[in-house]
Amino acid sequence: ETGVTQTPRHLVMGMTNKKSLKCEQHLGHNAMYWYKQSAKKPLELMFVYNFKEQTENNSVPSRFSPECPNSSHLFLHLHTLQPEDSALYLCASSGGGSGGPPYNEQFFGPGTRLTVL
Amino acid sequence: GEDVEQSLFLSVREGDSSVINCTYTDSSSTYLYWYKQEPGAGLQLLTYIFSNMDMKQDQRLTVLLNKKDKHLSLRIADTQTGDSAIYFCAESGAGSNTGKLIFGQGTTLQVKP
């Protein structure tokens, strides 16, 4: 596979469930990102990892827990979510560090559509 | 704080030009970007402009940057039905060393045949 892949593509969970979203990039990148996309709202950056270290946490509630075991994989662990957490969760990767394109162009996965009942 | 704003919807006829506008607040952004999101897909970088430029042209796309007014626009010439998508404006976050981007809420472009 190439690019950025995300699994599952769709997820329905209850408020008491625990689930995980997975992102994998095959681009040799060193930075990975989680974004939340809700209808008619700006894309919200949640977390940034550079070289496996978390470098940004955008005041995300603790019911979202990221994990980056290596530069190619990124997880988002979910527990006791609320209905307002229903959204499209997008993963992206880029070369890493500061600087602009083309090195630091962000490549996005197709997202996981999450519904919390 | 950093903020990027766009109108939510634009409808044009096939063959017309489309102009999508964006305003941003951070004057120290080094790069400004336009991303495209097709249904069921993630975002794809369309084009970008360095902050010391005022125009960039790439085939049917023209980006105009007015730094004084903090206004960015994307013009699509000869718009096709395949251009129907959501277009996001983004700026590079000030003082960030993480490649952080600040996105607008996206403009849905509808192209009528």
Side-chain angles (χ1 to χ4, degrees):
Chain A
E1 287 210 60
T2 58
V4 181
T5 57
Q6 290 186 243
T7 53
R9 294 293 309 274
H10 300 271
L11 179 62
V12 179
M13 58 188 289
M15 288 192 284
T16 58
N17 291 158
K18 288 185 180 181
K19 296 285 183 184
S20 295
L21 310 185
K22 179 182 174 183
C23 175
E24 186 172 357
Q25 57 95 1
H26 308 268
L27 301 168
H29 287 163
N30 296 303
M32 297 187 79
Y33 311 76
W34 279 118
Y35 288 89
K36 176 183 178 183
Q37 185 178 15
S38 305
K40 297 189 175 66
K41 291 177 70 175
L43 203 62
E44 298 172 57
L45 178 66
M46 299 174 73
F47 301 103
V48 181
Y49 279 82
N50 269 272
F51 299 90
K52 301 187 296 179
E53 298 296 319
Q54 188 181 117
T55 52
E56 189 99 16
N57 177 338
N58 204 21
S59 303
V60 181
S62 59
R63 57 185 184 270
F64 295 91
S65 174
E67 180 190 0
C68 189
N70 54 62
S71 292
S72 299
H73 293 85
L74 184 65
F75 295 88
L76 188 63
H77 304 298
L78 316 171
H79 64 100
T80 58
L81 294 192
Q82 305 298 310
E84 60 264 29
D85 296 323
S86 298
L88 182 69
Y89 288 85
L90 291 165
C91 173
S93 71
S94 70
S98 58
Y103 175 71
N104 226 4
E105 174 183 345
Q106 290 189 24
F107 290 80
F108 284 78
T112 296
R113 173 69 62 187
L114 174 67
T115 303
V116 181
L117 302 177
Chain B
E2 301 154 332
D3 193 22
V4 177
E5 291 197 3
Q6 305 175 235
S7 55
L8 291 180
F9 187 77
L10 176 66
S11 180
V12 301
R13 292 224 169 265
E14 192 174 18
D16 288 350
S17 292
S18 307
V19 180
I20 303 171
N21 295 300
C22 169
T23 57
Y24 61 96
T25 54
D26 186 359
S27 57
S28 65
S29 289
T30 309
Y31 293 94
L32 294 130
Y33 304 81
W34 284 104
Y35 278 81
K36 176 183 181 182
Q37 184 181 32
E38 295 183 352
L43 279 67
Q44 178 186 12
L45 181 64
L46 264 185
T47 186
Y48 62 90
I49 188 167
F50 190 51
S51 58
N52 69 352
M53 298 170 64
D54 51 22
M55 187 181 95
K56 179 179 179 182
Q57 187 146 6
D58 184 1
Q59 299 181 344
R60 292 191 296 122
L61 305 178
T62 303
V63 178
L64 295 177
L65 174 61
N66 181 328
K67 276 196 81 171
K68 174 176 166 290
D69 295 339
K70 297 178 194 166
H71 183 267
L72 183 73
S73 68
L74 174 69
R75 179 177 181 270
I76 306 173
D78 187 26
T79 314
Q80 304 297 306
T81 53
D83 295 323
S84 294
I86 305 175
Y87 291 80
F88 290 88
C89 169
E91 61 171 347
S92 50
S96 168
N97 63 354
T98 63
K100 174 180 172 180
L101 296 179
I102 310 298
F103 285 87
Q105 64 270 60
T107 299
T108 298
L109 175 63
Q110 179 190 66
V111 183
K112 297 179 181 176

